[in-house]
Amino acid sequence: MLKNSHPEAPSQNNKNNTQGSLHGTWASRWTFILAATGSAVGLGNIWKFPYIAGENGGGAFVLVYIACIAIVALPIMVAEVTLGRMGRQSPINTIRNLIKESGASKSFGVIGWMGVSAGLMILSYYSVIAGWALNYIEYMISGVFQDVTAEQAGTIFDDLMKDKNELIFWQSLFMLMTVVVVMCGIHKGLGLASQILMPLLFLLLIGLLVFGYQQGDLTGAFNFLFGFNFGSLTWQSVLVALGHAFFTLSIGMGAMMVYGAYMPSNTGVFSNVLMVGVLDTLVALIAGLVIFSIVFANPSIESSAGPGLMFVSLPVAFGNMLGGLFFGTIFFVLVSLAAWSSSISLIEPAVAHLVESKGFSRITASLLLGMVTWVVGLGSVFSFNIWTEVKIAGFNFFELIDFITANIMLPLTGIFVAIFIGWFVKEKMVQEELSGDNQGLSCVWRWTVRYISPLAVAAVLIMGIYPRMT
Ligand code: TRP
């Protein structure tokens, strides 16, 4: 284990944990599981997964996605959590210290830096979309979607996109919510938020599933998501599935590394990571079932709708169902809560770094980083209205940040993480950290991160960028 570079680092109040982080340690393995699931379950599960499953033909895509989670993403998540727990600091300092200890090349320091910057960049646009969800809570409550047609719902969405002041208002509110939680620290902020938000989220989701069962076409949704029709599967959809496996499990930017740094030492890594993977996948599948059962119950709506599925098709469906506005409100509360527990993990690695290295207080660090991210986010707001014509390499600002982070930075960091822990960090140190885990599993994992993960992710990276370049 590494020395903590902070002489003043308090010994943690967690009695079982001999080695803690300066920032605190999760109260138990369950807080880790809830917090990590909170990070993983977000807009990726509820907004993105259902529409990419729809666009890629449903069933077969779901199967490939699950395979990507199990074979590639979970091993990298184990790698991140293990590295984090070995270092017990922000990703930047954890990687820096592990490089020193193992004599590896300083270039691996890029893992920490790229991760922390990717987190802030993702948060900049994530807070804009989460802001739409907040606004839709208000729309549902005030009944603007009552009995609307698809055209009218489209107009409501388009009008919102054109109204930059409205977008900025909701983006700012969401950013403030994020900063307030992170400001309150590991126990009273992130830990407490996860302990409240996650059970609530599961409850709301189950409620919506019951609504989908009673009022919607759950059988149709089930057949769509689990009817394995391999004819519609393309090589491109395999790539989409792998890219999404990264995004949905929050890997490739140090979020899981920093959550691992706060994990008690007296618990295994594999079982906890597996739990997070299972919960995340369950939420994505249930969200898919809910959304499609509601959309399919209204035959006039196109189900292939793409990114507008959640903000156009779904509100139309809700607006035309008995009790729809009430459950529609619940739905957008669910989306906002899920986005909230994810956004705190996007900013935490950077906050931890400023506290450790620059001597900032947690409050100052959170406020400062929140401000910077908010300003960058304005670029995404403007790309839906006054900057729609401003294009760099064919992308508007929002698309550019999304493309650079999700398709380049996350997979790159993922490859480096796998190579670093698989080939460079001393095997003995890794084994020691995983000594509480099943040793057979540990061997299989090691082999996977050395060979399978880097190659698979490299394939995604190249195939994802290449078509854009030619
Ligand atoms: N996983 C979240 C989602 O599905 C988003 C997210 C949170 C994320 N933290 C991350 C994505 C870190 C990549 C990296 O919406």
Side-chain angles (χ1 to χ4, degrees):
M1 289 215 179
L2 292 176
K3 283 202 314 285
N4 197 320
S5 60
H6 297 272
E8 77 283 14
S11 66
Q12 298 305 308
N13 47 12
N14 185 334
K15 292 180 215 79
N16 299 320
N17 194 29
T18 46
Q19 177 107 24
S21 142
L22 162 75
H23 311 280
T25 307
W26 304 121
S28 72
R29 68 174 282 229
W30 276 103
T31 317
F32 168 81
I33 292 176
L34 290 178
T37 307
S39 167
V41 171
L43 295 172
N45 302 59
I46 309 179
W47 168 61
K48 203 164 176 195
F49 173 76
Y51 89 75
I52 57 175
E55 282 179 343
N56 290 281
F61 175 84
V62 174
L63 203 65
V64 172
Y65 162 77
I66 292 175
C68 291
I69 295 265
I71 300 168
V72 184
L74 283 181
I76 294 189
M77 190 164 160
V78 168
E80 278 202 24
V81 172
T82 309
L83 287 175
R85 207 168 67 164
M86 289 166 86
R88 292 274 182 221
Q89 295 189 50
S90 78
I92 294 177
N93 288 330
T94 287
I95 296 293
R96 187 182 289 150
N97 289 348
L98 285 169
I99 288 173
K100 263 190 228 141
E101 296 246 337
S102 53
S105 155
K106 281 213 175 70
S107 332
F108 281 109
V110 73
I111 295 176
W113 285 106
M114 203 152 65
V116 167
S117 352
L120 296 179
M121 287 164 72
I122 295 177
L123 182 59
S124 77
Y125 73 80
Y126 203 83
S127 53
V128 175
I129 303 183
W132 303 351
L134 285 178
N135 194 359
Y136 267 59
I137 300 178
E138 191 209 276
Y139 282 171
M140 281 292 163
I141 293 178
S142 62
V144 287
F145 284 109
Q146 182 76 57
D147 299 324
V148 289
T149 62
E151 287 75 48
Q152 288 165 327
T155 312
I156 294 172
F157 181 69
D158 291 343
D159 287 348
L160 174 63
M161 292 304 109
K162 282 187 214 130
D163 189 345
K164 63 179 187 314
N165 294 337
E166 191 75 9
L167 293 181
I168 293 174
F169 172 79
W170 294 104
Q171 171 220 10
S172 314
L173 179 65
F174 184 80
M175 202 59 165
L176 198 68
M177 287 162 56
T178 305
V179 166
V180 164
V181 173
V182 176
M183 240 159 55
C184 295
I186 302 309
H187 287 289
K188 298 209 181 84
L190 293 97
L192 188 64
S194 315
Q195 281 163 336
I196 299 171
L197 293 182
M198 296 322 287
L200 189 60
L201 191 143
F202 281 102
L203 217 68
L204 296 181
L205 194 60
I206 300 300
L208 282 162
L209 189 63
V210 173
F211 174 74
Y213 171 70
Q214 289 183 334
Q215 299 269 330
D217 179 7
L218 193 60
T219 325
F222 199 87
N223 290 339
F224 179 68
L225 283 178
F226 300 106
F228 299 121
N229 165 18
F230 282 92
S232 56
L233 200 68
T234 62
W235 176 231
Q236 193 62 37
S237 28
V238 178
L239 298 176
V240 173
L242 189 51
H244 187 62
F246 255 73
F247 188 86
T248 190
L249 287 184
S250 304
I251 52 181
M253 65 132 297
M256 287 301 161
M257 223 183 276
V258 84
Y259 277 20
Y262 309 150
M263 186 183 190
S265 305
N266 62 342
T267 170
V269 173
F270 288 107
S271 56
N272 293 324
V273 164
L274 186 66
M275 188 76 171
V276 176
V278 168
L279 288 174
D280 182 76
T281 308
L282 266 180
V283 172
L285 294 178
I286 298 180
L289 283 177
V290 167
I291 291 179
F292 285 115
S293 65
I294 292 166
V295 172
F296 287 166
N298 296 266
S300 58
I301 304 166
E302 280 180 53
S303 64
S304 58
L309 180 64
M310 190 170 102
F311 293 105
V312 180
S313 314
L314 197 65
V316 181
F318 275 127
N320 289 282
M321 292 165 94
L322 189 66
L325 292 186
F326 175 74
F327 282 94
T329 309
I330 303 252
F331 179 85
F332 284 102
V333 170
L334 171 83
V335 176
S336 306
L337 297 184
W340 194 12
S341 60
S342 296
S343 63
I344 55 183
S345 76
L346 287 164
I347 196 171
E348 174 62 23
V351 170
H353 182 69
L354 284 191
V355 172
E356 281 166 15
S357 300
K358 306 277 181 248
F360 280 55
S361 74
R362 186 166 262 278
I363 296 185
T364 321
S366 314
L367 284 173
L368 185 74
L369 290 166
M371 283 289 285
V372 172
T373 313
W374 178 83
V375 172
V376 179
L378 290 179
S380 289
V381 168
F382 296 153
S383 54
F384 294 102
N385 34 70
I386 53 179
W387 287 359
T388 41
E389 296 311 316
V390 182
K391 298 256 161 98
I392 306 163
F395 295 111
N396 67 30
F397 188 84
F398 164 73
E399 293 163 340
L400 187 70
I401 300 252
D402 180 32
F403 181 76
I404 293 178
T405 50
N407 295 4
I408 300 178
M409 294 170 89
L410 299 185
L412 256 188
T413 311
I415 295 179
F416 286 139
V417 163
I419 294 180
F420 185 55
I421 201 167
W423 297 89
F424 290 93
V425 179
K426 290 202 185 85
E427 194 176 347
K428 216 172 113 265
M429 283 166 64
V430 179
Q431 274 174 353
E432 212 174 282
E433 194 60 50
L434 293 174
S435 57
D437 285 283
N438 179 312
Q439 291 310 298
L441 207 59
S442 186
C443 279
V444 176
W445 166 75
R446 191 173 166 75
W447 194 83
T448 312
V449 285
R450 281 168 76 101
Y451 301 101
I452 310 247
S453 310
L455 288 175
V457 180
V460 176
L461 190 58
I462 293 165
M463 301 299 286
I465 299 176
Y466 186 68
R468 303 270 177 176
M469 300 294 152
T470 51

